[in-house]
Amino acid sequence: VQLVESGGGSVQAGGSLRLSCAASGYAVSSYCMGWLRQAPGKEREGVASTDSDGSTTYADSVKGRFTIFKDNAKNTLYLQMNSLKPEDTAMYSCAATFNRLNSPISLFPEKYGYWGQGTQVTVSS
């Protein structure tokens, strides 16, 4: 299993970014995948997840602003981030597990066994 993120960058508050996570070695449609982030000096936290049945879970801090979705044809996971805030600044990583995860467990970093290298998102005020 290999996960490769892209799409991070620097934006001003209120802006948007779309993160991508290209998967190889397995089908994204079949398993639970998530986006997690870690800010300097803070613990890694779950941002959003989506399971094989299409169900999604979001952290309260991003509800209504972020959308997680998959493109099965491209075998890619996405995170559309709108109305970005300075507190969204972090290293964002996608992760996958062969297990089914219900909410809110699907936001727990320790439940994922496969990780990408991460992509940095910086939001300035």
Side-chain angles (χ1 to χ4, degrees):
V1 175
Q2 186 175 16
L3 304 172
V4 179
E5 301 98 330
S6 62
S10 298
V11 296
Q12 290 191 327
S16 298
L17 283 174
R18 177 177 290 186
L19 306 184
S20 301
C21 174
S24 59
Y26 83 111
V28 299
S29 60
S30 299
Y31 302 103
C32 183
M33 297 190 72
W35 285 99
L36 304 97
R37 68 186 181 187
Q38 187 167 22
K42 295 187 177 181
E43 292 187 355
R44 181 177 281 170
E45 63 175 356
V47 175
S49 66
T50 180
D51 208 339
S52 58
D53 62 358
S55 60
T56 57
T57 300
Y58 294 94
D60 288 343
S61 59
V62 307
K63 281 181 181 176
R65 300 189 298 122
F66 291 10
T67 303
I68 186 171
F69 61 99
K70 299 175 182 175
D71 184 329
N72 295 334
K74 295 183 178 179
N75 212 36
T76 299
L77 176 74
Y78 297 94
L79 184 69
Q80 178 66 43
M81 305 186 295
N82 299 328
S83 302
L84 282 161
K85 303 176 180 180
E87 51 263 45
D88 294 318
T89 295
M91 179 70 74
Y92 285 72
S93 299
C94 69
T97 175
F98 292 141
N99 299 316
R100 294 288 306 274
L101 298 177
N102 295 321
S103 174
I105 295 175
S106 57
L107 295 182
F108 294 179
E110 63 269 25
K111 296 299 182 182
Y112 291 91
Y114 300 94
W115 293 82
Q117 83 287 352
T119 185
Q120 178 67 36
V121 172
T122 302
V123 185
S124 59
S125 57

